[in-house]
Amino acid sequence: MTNDSSSPQPDDEAPVAVPASRIPELLHAAVTAVGGVERPGQITMAEAVAAAVDNDEHLLVQAGTGTGKSLAYLVPALAHGDRVVVATATLALQRQLVERDLPRTVDALHPVLRRRPLYAMLKGRSNYLCLHRANEGTPSDEGEGLFDPVEVMGGPTGKLGQDVLRLRDWADETETGDRDDLSPGVSDKAWAQLAVTSKECLGASRCAYGQECFAEKAREKAKLADVVVTNHAMLAIDAIEGAPVLPEHGLLIIDEAHELVNRVTGAATAELTVNAVNRAVRRAAKLANEKSVDALQAAAENFHGLMETAQAGRLEELPEYLAYAVAGIRDASRQVITSLGETRDKGLTDEDAVRKQAMASAETLHETADRLLTESEWDVIWVERSDRFGMGTASLRVAPLSVSGLLRENLYKERSVVLTSATLKLGGDFNGVAASLGLPGESRLPDVRSSAEPEVEVGEDAPPYWRGIDVGSPFSYPKQGILYVAKHLADPGRDPERPDMLDELAELIGAAGGRTLGLFSSMRGAQTAAEALRERLDNRILLQGEDTLGELIREFASDASSCLFGTLSLWQGVDVPGSACQLVVMDRIPFPRPDDPLMSARQKDVEQRGGNGFMAVAATHAALLMAQGAGRLVRAADDRGVVAVLDPRVETKRYGGFFRSSMPNFWYTTDRNQVRRSLAAIDASAPPVKPR
């Protein structure tokens, strides 16, 4: 998706950087264009971004809710004149940038810039519909040749068949082929019938539909764009794989930066599953020689037998029997790859597509097995199983112990990087989050640049110098919100059934008249609370998983007496301004599970290096979630309410101050009676909820 000005306007000139002194003027024009009002924090942030770019530095900016940080970084980015990549964690923010912020900002700045910068959204290839698959069919995992997914899945009257037929019709109508432009959407299974990964793609030069390919068109638009909006996953692939997927750029802006470490870790994590090996066998059988396919089949059966009884948990090293099975998969997949490169035509109607799909499966198996067998000290290996889905669900997983080194080596050398979020300071300091992002404390510069400050070293071997600034929030947190810790409750144990906590929660909801967002550290905890309170309260209790998240949030926002309970996805990104949400409850500190293989390995690594593993890993993880969760309360200038933490350790333990100082600066109390009176007063004065 790009703006309409696909070619230069008559008054356009080559991009020229606008002096930093004009940033306030440009920001004023942009804010006026979107119908807003400039805020001190927004101006401070825009000037800091401009200074970081001018001085080849990196910048961390904590910008509270309501600051207007999107315009605060877009304005200096456009004024700089070089291409900029903006990476976000969520689709909602990507759409906001491309559909609202960028069009208005470009129009507002045109009189000064004398050009209309182009912008485009770029995603991974599997987010775009594949015209080859839509028109020629999908290589089958069942039997020989190609198949029509509508015929295989119960005909066009079945849900999957109907979705595939609708996708084929949509292929003739859509201009973007972007899955997110399809409404209503389809299941992942249906989409997979008509989409390909980068490894499965035939390539534009070999594909009959290469000239019309939606993914290729998106990439071509991105090459011409001045601003490319993408996601953290694409940024991670660009950094990890060494094969650039993003166009060259002089400035990188990472919004929702608190999510970056998790997204990069996810992109760098691989798994070996029985289903993946069996799928590779079926695909290889169409073109590879019989000997190599039989070898992979035997390796799959051996691996399956071992994984049926494998115990979940971290493996400090692969047991000999498991290493032997993984080596069998590695060697057999190598044979399949060699065979696929040698054999040709088995009477298939579309041999290239079948070969590409089979090769992709075999190569992924080989790479993952080889990585598992390498057993690098920088990787964590564990067995993960989900008995909920029955047999064949155990897998071997491997993830990086840390991504900070990877980010330091690949993210900061070629351009200035601005990382921003409402949550970057934990315990009142940037250093913890900065270190996880590959920015060490020893290369931190003073928060405010001095005119007398000497120029820093810039070069191939220079450390990534950075500054950190907190531009605050336009909201008056001490006046708008209360942070209440239920000090009188018992410390939570592993059992989610906490009668005293449920009593407290019921009383708080009663005082608030509903209007409650319940954030739980586990789905089991959310379900237990929902079942118990549905029997005790007249309020409607909405529970994550019982409908789509979007629909649940809409219902919660339109019914003041309702409550919404859920787990991790509700702690971040939920935006319900107004009187529908006046009480945010956290059942306990959301520490990672003690048996979480990756988190426990990271904690142990910090301790072995002489650090405090608990604070560096477990407490930091929990504090980030609590800060994000507390941010759900005040979303507008007239919002009022309470954040209630039903875990006394936030008050009684030494580390409690770390959590309190990581959250917005609400008025703090442990007085349960005061909080009930306050909630009742807020409820009584709340304006009616407007339907959304």
Side-chain angles (χ1 to χ4, degrees):
M1 183 180 301
T2 61
N3 49 333
D4 293 334
S5 51
S6 57
S7 59
Q9 300 298 303
D11 58 345
D12 284 0
E13 299 174 357
V16 176
V18 176
S21 60
R22 299 195 65 184
I23 292 298
E25 171 195 345
L26 296 177
L27 182 63
H28 176 77
V31 171
T32 302
V34 299
V37 178
E38 296 158 87
R39 294 163 177 145
Q42 189 180 44
I43 297 171
T44 300
M45 178 175 173
E47 292 177 333
V49 171
V53 176
D54 287 346
N55 295 297
D56 295 316
E57 297 167 357
H58 309 298
L59 181 69
L60 266 65
V61 187
Q62 177 160 292
T65 304
T67 301
K69 60 179 167 46
S70 298
L71 292 185
Y73 60 66
L74 287 177
V75 167
L78 292 171
H80 181 63
D82 205 345
R83 177 183 285 125
V84 56
V85 168
V86 180
T88 79
T90 61
L91 171 65
L93 183 53
Q94 291 169 43
R95 284 198 170 278
Q96 176 189 313
L97 289 170
V98 172
E99 296 177 3
R100 192 188 73 182
D101 293 346
L102 274 165
R104 296 177 181 181
T105 304
V106 165
D107 287 344
L109 300 189
H110 175 243
V112 178
L113 299 179
R114 294 187 58 78
R115 57 188 174 88
R116 294 187 183 276
L118 301 175
Y119 47 88
M121 190 185 296
L122 183 61
K123 305 176 184 178
R125 186 173 293 276
S126 60
N127 289 280
Y128 301 96
L129 184 142
C130 172
L131 288 171
H132 184 277
R133 285 199 168 182
N135 291 289
E136 307 296 335
T138 309
S140 173
D141 286 339
E142 309 293 340
E144 295 291 330
L146 302 182
F147 84 107
D148 185 330
V150 175
E151 295 172 0
V152 172
M153 300 300 175
T157 59
K159 179 67 168 67
L160 182 58
Q162 290 177 343
D163 282 346
V164 171
L165 287 175
R166 184 158 64 86
L167 283 172
R168 286 178 171 171
D169 291 339
W170 183 68
D172 295 328
E173 303 167 1
T174 175
E175 295 182 3
T176 66
D178 186 338
R179 181 178 183 178
D180 294 315
D181 290 339
L182 176 67
S183 181
V186 297
S187 68
D188 290 345
K189 193 169 186 178
W191 182 259
Q193 306 302 319
L194 275 75
V196 296
T197 65
S198 57
K199 284 187 175 182
E200 294 172 333
C201 176
L202 293 172
S205 61
R206 297 181 60 193
C207 178
Y209 303 91
Q211 295 298 313
E212 298 134 354
C213 174
F214 295 121
E216 290 298 323
K217 285 182 178 180
R219 278 156 178 71
E220 289 304 313
K221 289 179 179 178
K223 289 178 183 178
L224 299 174
D226 300 280
V227 180
V228 179
V229 179
T230 189
N231 53 49
H232 288 183
M234 285 285 282
L235 181 62
I237 293 169
D238 194 74
I240 293 170
E241 297 189 356
V245 295
L246 298 173
E248 290 187 8
H249 51 282
L251 172 62
L252 171 62
I253 296 171
I254 303 173
D255 206 339
E256 302 172 309
H258 64 278
E259 277 286 310
L260 183 63
V261 168
N262 286 339
R263 301 301 172 106
V264 174
T265 298
T269 298
E271 68 174 348
L272 192 64
T273 69
V274 172
N275 287 340
V277 184
N278 287 333
R279 186 183 308 115
V281 170
R282 292 194 299 269
R283 291 175 173 180
K286 301 164 191 172
L287 282 173
N289 63 48
E290 187 174 341
K291 181 179 179 181
S292 67
V293 175
D294 287 346
L296 189 56
Q297 178 69 59
E301 292 171 357
N302 186 33
F303 183 64
H304 186 188
L306 294 175
M307 294 305 289
E308 278 189 309
T309 58
Q311 296 297 309
R314 185 186 177 191
L315 301 173
E316 296 282 355
E317 61 180 12
L318 282 177
E320 185 175 354
Y321 68 89
L322 197 51
Y324 179 80
V326 174
I329 292 173
R330 178 196 61 188
D331 297 342
S333 59
R334 178 73 262 175
Q335 292 179 45
V336 167
I337 292 168
T338 301
S339 175
L340 288 171
E342 295 172 345
T343 57
R344 285 289 181 269
D345 190 18
K346 275 191 163 185
L348 297 172
T349 57
D350 197 337
E351 181 187 335
D352 282 345
V354 176
R355 183 182 307 281
K356 196 72 174 179
Q357 189 182 63
M359 188 71 82
S361 286
E363 288 176 345
T364 299
L365 278 186
H366 184 271
E367 291 167 5
T368 303
D370 193 54
R371 181 177 171 187
L372 286 163
L373 291 167
T374 300
E375 295 189 77
S376 165
E377 63 178 312
W378 305 114
D379 273 340
V380 179
I381 299 173
W382 71 96
V383 174
E384 185 166 299
R385 51 181 323 123
S386 175
D387 294 328
R388 199 170 39 145
F389 298 109
M391 302 297 290
T393 58
S395 64
L396 269 179
R397 306 198 84 196
V398 56
L401 180 62
S402 170
V403 297
S404 60
L406 185 151
L407 292 174
R408 179 173 177 171
E409 289 299 313
N410 295 287
L411 209 61
Y412 303 105
K413 287 186 175 180
E414 303 297 328
R415 69 299 224 196
S416 289
V417 181
V418 174
L419 303 107
T420 184
S421 167
T423 312
L424 289 178
K425 290 174 72 174
L426 297 180
D429 192 89
F430 281 108
N431 288 339
V433 172
S436 71
L437 293 167
L439 297 171
E442 58 267 25
S443 62
R444 182 175 181 176
L445 299 167
D447 292 353
V448 179
R449 183 175 180 84
S450 167
S451 58
E453 184 180 311
E455 292 296 324
V456 299
E457 173 192 2
V458 177
E460 183 72 21
D461 299 321
Y465 291 107
W466 63 279
R467 301 179 197 273
I469 63 167
D470 182 356
V471 300
S473 168
F475 303 144
S476 178
Y477 287 124
K479 295 181 179 179
Q480 292 184 246
I482 297 172
L483 173 60
Y484 163 60
V485 175
K487 181 182 177 181
H488 61 283
L489 298 180
D491 286 358
R494 301 195 69 176
D495 190 342
E497 294 188 16
R498 298 168 57 201
D500 61 341
M501 185 275 288
L502 292 175
D503 290 342
E504 181 77 11
L505 178 55
E507 291 182 20
L508 290 170
I509 291 173
R515 310 178 189 274
T516 302
L517 177 65
L519 305 177
F520 292 81
S521 59
S522 70
M523 200 61 228
R524 185 182 172 197
Q527 291 167 343
T528 299
E531 290 169 6
L533 295 187
R534 280 170 175 168
E535 296 179 359
R536 298 168 59 172
L537 301 175
D538 293 331
N539 303 81
R540 186 182 182 197
I541 309 291
L542 303 167
L543 179 63
Q544 185 180 350
E546 294 183 346
D547 203 335
T548 65
L549 189 56
E551 183 59 30
L552 288 171
I553 293 172
R554 280 191 292 274
E555 291 185 39
F556 174 56
S558 61
D559 181 359
S561 66
S562 69
C563 305
L564 173 58
F565 290 0
T567 185
L568 293 181
S569 57
L570 290 186
W571 289 72
Q572 306 179 73
V574 174
D575 187 12
V576 183
S579 58
C581 180
Q582 295 184 334
L583 173 61
V584 174
V585 178
M586 305 179 197
D587 70 327
R588 64 172 73 199
I589 300 172
F591 289 124
R593 296 191 331 266
D595 60 349
D596 183 293
L598 188 54
M599 288 294 188
S600 59
R602 288 174 171 175
Q603 189 165 322
K604 182 178 178 180
D605 178 64
V606 172
E607 291 165 354
Q608 289 176 338
R609 291 186 282 110
N612 186 327
F614 169 74
M615 291 302 297
V617 179
T620 294
H621 168 87
L624 190 58
L625 276 175
M626 292 183 77
Q628 284 287 312
R632 301 312 97 206
L633 181 68
V634 176
R635 310 299 297 174
D638 55 355
D639 283 353
R640 301 287 187 277
V642 172
V643 172
V645 182
L646 307 186
D647 188 335
R649 294 174 294 178
V650 175
E651 169 63 24
T652 60
K653 300 296 185 183
R654 290 180 59 187
Y655 53 73
F658 177 73
F659 293 110
R660 295 196 302 272
S661 61
S662 299
M663 289 189 274
N665 185 31
F666 297 127
W667 186 77
Y668 178 67
T669 185
T670 59
D671 186 335
R672 59 192 301 197
N673 294 320
Q674 175 63 56
V675 165
R676 281 157 179 70
R677 289 193 297 270
S678 297
L679 281 170
I682 293 169
D683 178 38
S685 63
V689 170
K690 296 179 180 179
R692 297 183 73 183

